[in-house]
Amino acid sequence: HVQLVESGGGSVQAGGSLRLSCLALYFPYDTNNRMGWFRQGAGKQREAVATTYTGVGYGRTWYADSVKDRFTISRDGARNTLYLQMNSLKPEDTAVYYCAADLGGRCTRGVTDFDYWGQGTQVTVS
């Protein structure tokens, strides 16, 4: 089954940048599936940050309004890796960030719409 391993979190000052990586093993890139990044701040619900489709839907992306124009989701198929480039970071971006995989190519962005999850990586912006 699909295995997701995140890396790249850390601490950064406001205005700085970080790039998160998610190694996705056994993910079927050649079919119409979807990958995404979620985050969960302390005492908050997990929320979708960005998603991207694979297969025939390749190139379709979505961003939460709070990160639009600051974050970029991308994928390197040769490395089986999903990325989240985060620029102009703000203290409110502080959260645990999770990589997620949706094998149904769904169009909604709830937690239950994704089938597999990584372990999460902490991002702290001060």
Side-chain angles (χ1 to χ4, degrees), residues 6-85:
E6 301 103 332
S7 61
S11 297
V12 64
Q13 290 189 336
S17 298
L18 283 174
R19 188 177 77 160
L20 305 183
S21 300
C22 173
L23 176 62
L25 301 175
Y26 312 113
F27 181 84
Y29 288 103
D30 58 345
T31 55
N32 191 35
N33 298 311
R34 183 175 57 157
M35 299 191 73
W37 289 97
F38 282 68
R39 68 184 181 187
Q40 187 167 15
K44 298 181 179 180
Q45 292 188 334
R46 193 172 299 188
E47 61 177 0
V49 173
T51 63
T52 187
Y53 285 88
T54 63
V56 296
Y58 181 74
R60 289 173 55 196
T61 58
W62 170 88
Y63 296 94
D65 288 342
S66 57
V67 307
K68 203 170 290 184
D69 299 325
R70 299 189 298 122
F71 290 11
T72 302
I73 188 171
S74 63
R75 181 174 66 84
D76 184 336
R79 292 181 169 82
N80 293 332
T81 301
L82 181 74
Y83 300 102
L84 185 68
Q85 178 67 43

